[in-house]
Amino acid sequence: MTNLKMTNQETIRITNQKKIIQLLYKEKQLTKQVISKTIKVSIPTVISNVRELIKQGFLDETEVGESSGGRKPAIVRFLPNGRYSFGVLVSKEQVRIILTNLDFNVIDERIIDVADKMGDFNSVIVEISEKITSIISTNNIPLDKILGVGFSLPGTVNEEELFLKNAPNLKLKNICFKKFECDFPVPLFVENEANASAYAEAFINFNYGKSSLVFISITEGIGTGIIITDNLYKGYNKRAGEFGHMTIIKDGKKCNCGKRGCWELYASKKALLDEYKKAYNTKNDSLKDFMEMSKTDDKAKKILNTYLDFLAEGIKNIILTLDPGCIIIDGEISDYKSLIETELNDKIFQQNDFYDKKECNVSFSNLKGNASIFGAALLPMRKLFFYNERVN
């Protein structure tokens, strides 16, 4: 009974510390009195936990605040440089590596061209490790200040086993990242890129409620991450959210996954550019060039309109399946929000008996294409900010 009581006390202590860190991450600085009132714990409890978090290097006390009479209260500040984290985004053409602080300010960044290297993934890992070692050395950061390296991967991932089961667009299967742990000086974490993005959107962007959201990542393929009541939903076999591979056209185009007619074959960035290149007999694969052309060229407008039809069709299926409060779209396509957002929403919310615009907000990410890599960097931070892993 004594051990159980001690365990409960420790759980309460850790939970209170997480609440304080989360609050100060958002607000940046507050008095202990405001912290106490906001998280609904006593001032002595706040004082003892703040003292411990200061020793750990996450907080400090600084200039006094405004007084309503008597002794002026000290201000408790969140220290974004108290710890650092690496985010690694693996795609078909390149690997992007960032070092970020706890405020997701990018301290350093490196790019590795891997277009012809994915056949030897071990050599890719070695190159990533070398870049990370170089970043640590260049920025003179102590290893005990680095929480870890988070990998964002476009495929089915078991984050507990550090296992990439299948990434069709990378032509990778059954990659165990545990065997790479010895190549890195800090712990490794892995996650599906859309799930990582959903994490980032729900945590970093706290300016509006996102306790029920679906994140749609539009790249070479389509990935989706699902947040339900503030928790990342992965499903029984950890493959929930593979909406990119739902059948949108029966007996349609052949997909890398082995099926036919998958949504990503019609609504991914690659799908749009393939139609553009075929229609104009060009090798130009610049989305920017095509989107500019679609403003004035009728044939390009028609291609874009058909693409938005397919994109909207998949989103309608997601709304009917999951009934989310919000859907967030990211990828290079989000750079053209002003050009496509109104038309896309009109196609999604055309007259029906099930839902309307008031019930589900469909918008584009404001993380400027960084949701996935910020989500990767967030993976090593989870134990700092959350008591549990917030995964179902």
Side-chain angles (χ1 to χ4, degrees), residues 169-185:
N169 290 326
L170 299 183
K171 294 183 170 57
L172 293 176
K173 282 186 176 182
N174 301 325
I175 304 293
C176 184
F177 278 73
K178 285 186 177 180
K179 70 178 183 180
F180 303 134
E181 289 181 309
C182 61
D183 295 318
F184 294 85

Side-chain angles (χ1 to χ4, degrees), residues 318-329:
I318 291 172
I319 293 173
L320 286 171
T321 304
L322 297 175
D323 188 27
C326 119
I327 291 177
I328 301 172
I329 302 168

Side-chain angles (χ1 to χ4, degrees), residues 75-95:
I75 297 293
V76 181
R77 295 189 310 179
F78 178 73
L79 297 179
N81 291 331
R83 294 293 188 278
Y84 300 88
S85 179
F86 281 98
V88 179
L89 175 60
V90 180
S91 65
K92 187 176 180 181
E93 300 296 325
Q94 66 178 30
V95 171

